[in-house]
Amino acid sequence: QVHLVESGGGLVQAGGSLRLSCAASGRDVNMYTLGWFRQAPGKGREFVATISWNGGTTYYGDSVKGRFTISRDRAKNTVALQMNSLKSEDTAVYYCASSIRSTSRAEATYDYWGQGTQVTVSS
């Protein structure tokens, strides 16, 4: 069982930055892939970024590549998502997720999910 709690969401103007954080707890959580997904109103959940258990491998969704950076602190059991050059289309609820499998963009491969944090970008 892995418990995930996101924080850091809020309201920001277009072009601004936000940093999301996710605190992970549970047995062997440092061995889990951690990822971020988002869901905008009326849309399905979208892959944002993922990072391997040791931080050595990262993948990004095409819509955020070059603007967002995922990182993890294994000592603190946290994963962060630094979001720069935010656009109105980045407005969504952002979810942290964990997977015992290797890094993947597929939502179905993630076993545990946080409750989400709202990010709103005003244009």
Side-chain angles (χ1 to χ4, degrees):
Q1 183 85 15
V2 175
H3 187 55
L4 304 166
V5 179
E6 304 96 335
S7 61
L11 174 64
V12 64
Q13 288 189 332
S17 299
L18 270 180
R19 184 177 179 87
L20 304 183
S21 184
C22 173
S25 59
R27 184 176 179 180
D28 297 328
V29 68
N30 271 336
M31 301 306 294
Y32 281 66
T33 291
L34 295 174
W36 288 96
F37 289 76
R38 67 186 183 186
Q39 187 166 19
K43 296 187 177 181
R45 199 169 290 186
E46 176 190 14
F47 168 74
V48 176
T50 186
I51 187 165
S52 61
W53 69 275
N54 63 356
T57 300
T58 57
Y59 294 116
Y60 295 91
D62 290 341
S63 61
V64 307
K65 203 173 295 183
R67 299 187 298 123
F68 291 10
T69 302
I70 189 171
S71 61
R72 70 187 294 168
D73 185 330
R74 300 184 78 237
K76 297 181 179 179
N77 291 342
T78 59
V79 61
L81 185 69
Q82 178 66 41
M83 306 186 294
N84 298 329
S85 303
L86 283 161
K87 307 174 182 180
S88 57
E89 50 263 46
D90 293 319
T91 295
V93 177
Y94 283 71
Y95 297 92
C96 178
S98 67
S99 172
I100 194 63
R101 304 165 187 83
S102 58
T103 48
S104 169
R105 296 176 174 86
E107 179 182 350
T109 63
Y110 290 81
D111 309 296
Y112 298 100
W113 295 80
Q115 82 289 350
T117 186
Q118 176 70 46
V119 171
T120 303
V121 184
S122 62
S123 56

